[in-house]
Amino acid sequence: MTSRQLSEMYAFARVEPMDQPLQDMLAQLTNVLAQVHGNSTTAEDFLLVQQRRPPEVEATLRTQQLLEVFQVASERNASQ
């Protein structure tokens, strides 16, 4: 499957929603292609309809991301 075919498949899915098993299969296929090219992803990253996370989980993830950003910045400043 080419990149263009995959893009067309996603565009069509936005217009004509797919059933869940087909969505899962497409997400898994896309994930495999991404991992072959060196990306660290999961099939959930490619679902057309992302499940909403509870606000507590979202806040925890954002906090973790900020801590990681500040840690990297701190390490860069320490090495200079």
Side-chain angles (χ1 to χ4, degrees):
M1 176 177 284
T2 67
S3 173
R4 180 181 173 147
Q5 290 170 324
L6 188 59
S7 297
E8 288 174 355
M9 198 174 210
Y10 272 102
F12 179 75
R14 282 189 215 102
V15 176
E16 187 66 37
M18 294 184 280
D19 62 354
Q20 193 62 41
L22 185 56
Q23 264 194 63
D24 292 341
M25 184 190 69
L26 179 60
Q28 290 172 358
L29 173 64
T30 307
N31 181 51
V32 168
L33 291 172
Q35 289 182 353
V36 164
H37 291 283
N39 298 297
S40 58
T41 58
T42 65
E44 289 79 29
D45 295 332
F46 297 100
L47 288 175
L48 296 173
V49 178
Q50 298 287 329
Q51 294 179 346
R52 292 248 207 236
R53 296 182 190 132
E56 305 83 31
V57 173
E58 193 66 37
T60 302
L61 289 174
R62 288 190 185 278
T63 301
Q64 183 62 36
Q65 289 171 339
L66 283 172
L67 287 172
E68 290 172 5
V69 167
F70 284 120
Q71 180 65 34
V72 169
S74 174
E75 290 170 2
R76 285 184 182 169
N77 285 336
S79 68
Q80 292 180 355

